[in-house]
Amino acid sequence: MYLEVSGVKKSYGEGGSYVQVLKGINTGVEKGQMCVIQGTSGSGKSTLLNCIGGLDTMDSGSIKVDGTEICGMTSDQLSDYRRDNLGFIFQFYNLVPNLTVRENIQVCEYLTDDPLPMDDLIETLGLTEHQNKFPSQLSGGQQQRTSIGRALITRPSIVLADEPTGNLDTKASNEIMHLLKTSNRELNQTIIMITHNMELAKAADRTIMIEDGRI
């Protein structure tokens, strides 16, 4: 198993505000799979994704990526882990407003010695004619494609996507899904995606359902 999640628990707060969000998650994803995580709001989906991404620390349990345990890593080790292995795609794009499309992608291009060819990637994203525009000059779909370019430029082995089509219409959602499936197939990337969109879930290799902090 390429990604192994074993007995992961995560809580927030203390005393009267204590909430256990993850209650012993056990799951795994094979190399090159596209996996969708679904569940109601507050079920623990984003918390699980953040633990896999090293953005949240877990209370207990184990997360191994290609045999490497990330639980217990120092902040510097987690930074290296994210840089070397992960690409993040968020629902709200998180683009730098005063940088162009090309410059937003270049921010992450500099993190690797072997980036994807920039011009080819921008063309694949359908952004060639928009590459010198700023985020405020783009549609929601174009902004999300830019954020996907930023995530993919480093050739990550794992792409973590949190509701990547949540703010998009059907046409833009289908375009985003096509891009992710193409990247998954051509680069043999493992893609783990949270989505409420049932049509997107049908296109995945497998779906994990989370309810009340449990699979």
Short mmCIF file of all heavy atoms in Angstrom, two decimals, residues 40-86:
data_model
loop_
_atom_site.label_atom_id
_atom_site.label_comp_id
_atom_site.label_asym_id
_atom_site.label_seq_id
_atom_site.Cartn_x
_atom_site.Cartn_y
_atom_site.Cartn_z
N THR A 40 -20.55 14.06 5.38
CA THR A 40 -21.26 15.30 5.69
C THR A 40 -20.28 16.34 6.25
O THR A 40 -19.16 16.01 6.65
CB THR A 40 -22.37 15.04 6.72
OG1 THR A 40 -21.78 14.46 7.89
CG2 THR A 40 -23.42 14.09 6.16
N SER A 41 -20.72 17.57 6.30
CA SER A 41 -19.92 18.64 6.87
C SER A 41 -19.60 18.33 8.33
O SER A 41 -20.49 17.95 9.10
CB SER A 41 -20.68 19.97 6.76
OG SER A 41 -19.94 21.02 7.33
N GLY A 42 -18.34 18.46 8.70
CA GLY A 42 -17.92 18.19 10.07
C GLY A 42 -17.61 16.73 10.35
O GLY A 42 -17.29 16.38 11.50
N SER A 43 -17.63 15.88 9.32
CA SER A 43 -17.39 14.45 9.54
C SER A 43 -15.91 14.12 9.72
O SER A 43 -15.56 13.05 10.20
CB SER A 43 -17.95 13.63 8.37
OG SER A 43 -17.34 14.00 7.15
N GLY A 44 -15.02 15.06 9.31
CA GLY A 44 -13.59 14.84 9.50
C GLY A 44 -12.80 14.72 8.20
O GLY A 44 -11.61 14.41 8.22
N LYS A 45 -13.46 14.98 7.07
CA LYS A 45 -12.81 14.82 5.76
C LYS A 45 -11.57 15.71 5.63
O LYS A 45 -10.48 15.23 5.30
CB LYS A 45 -13.79 15.16 4.62
CG LYS A 45 -15.08 14.39 4.62
CD LYS A 45 -15.94 14.74 3.43
CE LYS A 45 -16.31 16.21 3.32
NZ LYS A 45 -17.12 16.69 4.47
N SER A 46 -11.75 17.01 5.84
CA SER A 46 -10.64 17.94 5.66
C SER A 46 -9.54 17.72 6.69
O SER A 46 -8.35 17.86 6.40
CB SER A 46 -11.13 19.39 5.73
OG SER A 46 -11.96 19.70 4.62
N THR A 47 -9.93 17.34 7.90
CA THR A 47 -8.94 17.06 8.94
C THR A 47 -8.06 15.88 8.53
O THR A 47 -6.84 15.91 8.68
CB THR A 47 -9.63 16.77 10.28
OG1 THR A 47 -10.38 17.91 10.67
CG2 THR A 47 -8.61 16.43 11.36
N LEU A 48 -8.69 14.83 7.97
CA LEU A 48 -7.91 13.68 7.49
C LEU A 48 -6.97 14.10 6.38
O LEU A 48 -5.78 13.72 6.38
CB LEU A 48 -8.85 12.57 7.00
CG LEU A 48 -8.16 11.35 6.37
CD1 LEU A 48 -7.20 10.69 7.34
CD2 LEU A 48 -9.21 10.36 5.87
N LEU A 49 -7.46 14.90 5.44
CA LEU A 49 -6.62 15.35 4.33
C LEU A 49 -5.45 16.18 4.86
O LEU A 49 -4.31 16.04 4.40
CB LEU A 49 -7.46 16.18 3.35
CG LEU A 49 -6.95 16.25 1.90
CD1 LEU A 49 -7.12 14.89 1.23
CD2 LEU A 49 -7.70 17.31 1.11
N ASN A 50 -5.73 17.03 5.85
CA ASN A 50 -4.67 17.87 6.42
C ASN A 50 -3.64 17.05 7.18
O ASN A 50 -2.45 17.40 7.20
CB ASN A 50 -5.28 18.94 7.33
CG ASN A 50 -6.01 20.01 6.56
OD1 ASN A 50 -5.79 20.19 5.37
ND2 ASN A 50 -6.90 20.73 7.24
N CYS A 51 -4.07 15.97 7.81
CA CYS A 51 -3.11 15.09 8.50
C CYS A 51 -2.21 14.38 7.48
O CYS A 51 -1.00 14.30 7.67
CB CYS A 51 -3.85 14.07 9.35
SG CYS A 51 -4.59 14.73 10.87
N ILE A 52 -2.81 13.91 6.39
CA ILE A 52 -2.02 13.27 5.34
C ILE A 52 -1.02 14.26 4.75
O ILE A 52 0.12 13.91 4.43
CB ILE A 52 -2.94 12.70 4.24
CG1 ILE A 52 -3.78 11.55 4.78
CG2 ILE A 52 -2.12 12.23 3.02
CD1 ILE A 52 -4.88 11.09 3.84
N GLY A 53 -1.47 15.52 4.62
CA GLY A 53 -0.61 16.55 4.05
C GLY A 53 0.39 17.16 5.01
O GLY A 53 1.17 18.03 4.62
N GLY A 54 0.38 16.72 6.26
CA GLY A 54 1.33 17.27 7.22
C GLY A 54 1.00 18.69 7.64
O GLY A 54 1.85 19.39 8.20
N LEU A 55 -0.23 19.13 7.39
CA LEU A 55 -0.66 20.47 7.79
C LEU A 55 -1.24 20.45 9.20
O LEU A 55 -1.27 21.47 9.88
CB LEU A 55 -1.71 21.01 6.81
CG LEU A 55 -1.26 21.16 5.36
CD1 LEU A 55 -2.43 21.60 4.48
CD2 LEU A 55 -0.12 22.16 5.24
N ASP A 56 -1.74 19.28 9.61
CA ASP A 56 -2.25 19.07 10.96
C ASP A 56 -1.47 17.92 11.59
O ASP A 56 -1.16 16.93 10.90
CB ASP A 56 -3.73 18.68 10.92
CG ASP A 56 -4.65 19.81 11.37
OD1 ASP A 56 -4.14 20.77 11.99
OD2 ASP A 56 -5.85 19.72 11.11
N THR A 57 -1.16 18.02 12.88
CA THR A 57 -0.57 16.89 13.58
C THR A 57 -1.69 16.03 14.16
O THR A 57 -2.74 16.55 14.53
CB THR A 57 0.35 17.35 14.72
OG1 THR A 57 -0.41 18.19 15.60
CG2 THR A 57 1.52 18.14 14.17
N MET A 58 -1.47 14.72 14.22
CA MET A 58 -2.49 13.83 14.79
C MET A 58 -2.17 13.55 16.25
O MET A 58 -1.02 13.66 16.69
CB MET A 58 -2.55 12.56 13.96
CG MET A 58 -1.22 11.88 13.72
SD MET A 58 -1.29 10.66 12.42
CE MET A 58 0.22 11.04 11.52
N ASP A 59 -3.20 13.19 16.99
CA ASP A 59 -3.00 12.86 18.40
C ASP A 59 -2.30 11.51 18.54
O ASP A 59 -1.45 11.32 19.40
CB ASP A 59 -4.33 12.80 19.13
CG ASP A 59 -5.05 14.15 19.13
OD1 ASP A 59 -4.38 15.16 18.92
OD2 ASP A 59 -6.27 14.16 19.35
N SER A 60 -2.71 10.55 17.71
CA SER A 60 -2.10 9.22 17.74
C SER A 60 -2.38 8.53 16.41
O SER A 60 -3.21 8.98 15.62
CB SER A 60 -2.66 8.39 18.90
OG SER A 60 -4.06 8.20 18.75
N GLY A 61 -1.66 7.44 16.18
CA GLY A 61 -1.84 6.71 14.94
C GLY A 61 -0.63 6.84 14.04
O GLY A 61 0.42 7.37 14.44
N SER A 62 -0.77 6.36 12.82
CA SER A 62 0.34 6.30 11.88
C SER A 62 -0.13 6.65 10.48
O SER A 62 -1.20 6.23 10.06
CB SER A 62 0.93 4.88 11.89
OG SER A 62 1.83 4.70 10.80
N ILE A 63 0.68 7.46 9.80
CA ILE A 63 0.48 7.71 8.37
C ILE A 63 1.81 7.49 7.68
O ILE A 63 2.80 8.16 7.97
CB ILE A 63 -0.02 9.14 8.09
CG1 ILE A 63 -1.41 9.35 8.70
CG2 ILE A 63 -0.07 9.41 6.59
CD1 ILE A 63 -1.97 10.76 8.51
N LYS A 64 1.84 6.51 6.78
CA LYS A 64 3.05 6.20 6.03
C LYS A 64 2.82 6.46 4.56
O LYS A 64 1.79 6.09 4.00
CB LYS A 64 3.46 4.74 6.24
CG LYS A 64 3.92 4.41 7.65
CD LYS A 64 4.35 2.94 7.75
CE LYS A 64 4.80 2.61 9.17
NZ LYS A 64 5.20 1.19 9.30
N VAL A 65 3.79 7.12 3.94
CA VAL A 65 3.77 7.37 2.50
C VAL A 65 4.99 6.68 1.90
O VAL A 65 6.12 7.02 2.22
CB VAL A 65 3.79 8.88 2.17
CG1 VAL A 65 3.87 9.09 0.67
CG2 VAL A 65 2.54 9.55 2.73
N ASP A 66 4.74 5.69 1.06
CA ASP A 66 5.81 4.91 0.44
C ASP A 66 6.78 4.38 1.50
O ASP A 66 7.99 4.40 1.32
CB ASP A 66 6.55 5.76 -0.60
CG ASP A 66 7.34 4.92 -1.60
OD1 ASP A 66 7.06 3.72 -1.72
OD2 ASP A 66 8.24 5.47 -2.26
N GLY A 67 6.21 3.96 2.63
CA GLY A 67 7.01 3.37 3.70
C GLY A 67 7.58 4.34 4.71
O GLY A 67 8.14 3.92 5.72
N THR A 68 7.45 5.64 4.47
CA THR A 68 8.00 6.65 5.37
C THR A 68 6.93 7.16 6.32
O THR A 68 5.87 7.63 5.88
CB THR A 68 8.59 7.84 4.58
OG1 THR A 68 9.65 7.37 3.75
CG2 THR A 68 9.12 8.91 5.53
N GLU A 69 7.18 7.07 7.62
CA GLU A 69 6.26 7.53 8.64
C GLU A 69 6.35 9.05 8.80
O GLU A 69 7.44 9.60 8.96
CB GLU A 69 6.60 6.86 9.98
CG GLU A 69 5.77 7.34 11.16
CD GLU A 69 4.30 7.01 11.01
OE1 GLU A 69 3.97 5.80 10.99
OE2 GLU A 69 3.49 7.95 10.91
N ILE A 70 5.19 9.73 8.73
CA ILE A 70 5.22 11.19 8.88
C ILE A 70 4.85 11.63 10.29
O ILE A 70 5.13 12.77 10.68
CB ILE A 70 4.33 11.91 7.85
CG1 ILE A 70 2.85 11.68 8.13
CG2 ILE A 70 4.69 11.50 6.44
CD1 ILE A 70 1.95 12.59 7.30
N CYS A 71 4.22 10.74 11.05
CA CYS A 71 3.91 11.08 12.44
C CYS A 71 5.21 11.23 13.22
O CYS A 71 6.08 10.36 13.19
CB CYS A 71 3.04 10.00 13.07
SG CYS A 71 2.58 10.35 14.78
N GLY A 72 5.36 12.34 13.93
CA GLY A 72 6.57 12.58 14.71
C GLY A 72 7.64 13.36 13.98
O GLY A 72 8.68 13.66 14.56
N MET A 73 7.41 13.68 12.71
CA MET A 73 8.37 14.50 11.98
C MET A 73 8.46 15.89 12.58
O MET A 73 7.46 16.43 13.09
CB MET A 73 7.97 14.63 10.51
CG MET A 73 8.27 13.44 9.64
SD MET A 73 7.88 13.79 7.89
CE MET A 73 8.52 12.30 7.11
N THR A 74 9.64 16.51 12.53
CA THR A 74 9.79 17.90 12.94
C THR A 74 9.16 18.81 11.89
O THR A 74 8.82 18.37 10.78
CB THR A 74 11.27 18.26 13.10
OG1 THR A 74 11.89 18.20 11.80
CG2 THR A 74 11.97 17.31 14.05
N SER A 75 9.01 20.08 12.22
CA SER A 75 8.42 21.02 11.26
C SER A 75 9.26 21.12 9.99
O SER A 75 8.73 21.22 8.88
CB SER A 75 8.25 22.41 11.89
OG SER A 75 9.48 22.91 12.35
N ASP A 76 10.58 21.07 10.14
CA ASP A 76 11.46 21.11 8.96
C ASP A 76 11.30 19.85 8.12
O ASP A 76 11.27 19.92 6.88
CB ASP A 76 12.93 21.26 9.39
CG ASP A 76 13.26 22.66 9.87
OD1 ASP A 76 12.46 23.58 9.61
OD2 ASP A 76 14.32 22.83 10.50
N GLN A 77 11.19 18.70 8.78
CA GLN A 77 10.99 17.45 8.05
C GLN A 77 9.65 17.44 7.32
O GLN A 77 9.55 16.95 6.19
CB GLN A 77 11.09 16.26 9.01
CG GLN A 77 12.49 15.99 9.52
CD GLN A 77 12.51 14.95 10.63
OE1 GLN A 77 11.58 14.83 11.42
NE2 GLN A 77 13.61 14.18 10.69
N LEU A 78 8.63 17.98 7.97
CA LEU A 78 7.31 18.06 7.33
C LEU A 78 7.35 18.99 6.12
O LEU A 78 6.71 18.71 5.09
CB LEU A 78 6.26 18.53 8.33
CG LEU A 78 5.78 17.50 9.34
CD1 LEU A 78 4.90 18.16 10.40
CD2 LEU A 78 5.01 16.37 8.66
N SER A 79 8.09 20.08 6.23
CA SER A 79 8.23 21.00 5.09
C SER A 79 8.89 20.30 3.91
O SER A 79 8.46 20.44 2.76
CB SER A 79 9.06 22.23 5.50
OG SER A 79 8.37 23.02 6.44
N ASP A 80 9.93 19.52 4.21
CA ASP A 80 10.61 18.75 3.15
C ASP A 80 9.66 17.71 2.55
O ASP A 80 9.65 17.50 1.33
CB ASP A 80 11.85 18.06 3.71
CG ASP A 80 12.96 19.04 4.07
OD1 ASP A 80 12.90 20.19 3.59
OD2 ASP A 80 13.88 18.65 4.82
N TYR A 81 8.89 17.05 3.42
CA TYR A 81 7.93 16.04 2.96
C TYR A 81 6.91 16.65 2.01
O TYR A 81 6.62 16.10 0.94
CB TYR A 81 7.25 15.42 4.18
CG TYR A 81 5.92 14.76 3.91
CD1 TYR A 81 5.83 13.56 3.18
CD2 TYR A 81 4.73 15.31 4.40
CE1 TYR A 81 4.61 12.95 2.95
CE2 TYR A 81 3.51 14.70 4.18
CZ TYR A 81 3.46 13.52 3.44
OH TYR A 81 2.25 12.93 3.20
N ARG A 82 6.37 17.81 2.38
CA ARG A 82 5.37 18.46 1.52
C ARG A 82 6.01 18.91 0.21
O ARG A 82 5.43 18.74 -0.87
CB ARG A 82 4.75 19.66 2.26
CG ARG A 82 3.83 19.26 3.39
CD ARG A 82 3.04 20.45 3.91
NE ARG A 82 3.90 21.42 4.59
CZ ARG A 82 4.12 21.44 5.90
NH1 ARG A 82 3.56 20.54 6.68
NH2 ARG A 82 4.90 22.36 6.44
N ARG A 83 7.20 19.48 0.28
CA ARG A 83 7.89 19.97 -0.92
C ARG A 83 8.19 18.84 -1.89
O ARG A 83 8.01 18.97 -3.10
CB ARG A 83 9.18 20.68 -0.51
CG ARG A 83 9.97 21.27 -1.69
CD ARG A 83 11.39 21.59 -1.26
NE ARG A 83 12.11 20.36 -0.88
CZ ARG A 83 13.15 20.34 -0.05
NH1 ARG A 83 13.57 21.43 0.53
NH2 ARG A 83 13.75 19.18 0.22
N ASP A 84 8.64 17.72 -1.35
CA ASP A 84 9.13 16.63 -2.20
C ASP A 84 8.04 15.69 -2.70
O ASP A 84 8.25 14.97 -3.68
CB ASP A 84 10.17 15.80 -1.43
CG ASP A 84 11.43 16.60 -1.09
OD1 ASP A 84 11.68 17.62 -1.77
OD2 ASP A 84 12.15 16.20 -0.15
N ASN A 85 6.88 15.69 -2.05
CA ASN A 85 5.88 14.67 -2.36
C ASN A 85 4.50 15.19 -2.75
O ASN A 85 3.76 14.47 -3.43
CB ASN A 85 5.69 13.74 -1.14
CG ASN A 85 6.94 12.97 -0.79
OD1 ASN A 85 7.25 11.96 -1.41
ND2 ASN A 85 7.65 13.45 0.22
N LEU A 86 4.14 16.38 -2.30
CA LEU A 86 2.73 16.78 -2.35
C LEU A 86 2.45 17.97 -3.26
O LEU A 86 3.27 18.87 -3.41
CB LEU A 86 2.24 17.13 -0.95
CG LEU A 86 2.39 16.05 0.13
CD1 LEU A 86 1.87 16.57 1.45
CD2 LEU A 86 1.66 14.78 -0.27
#
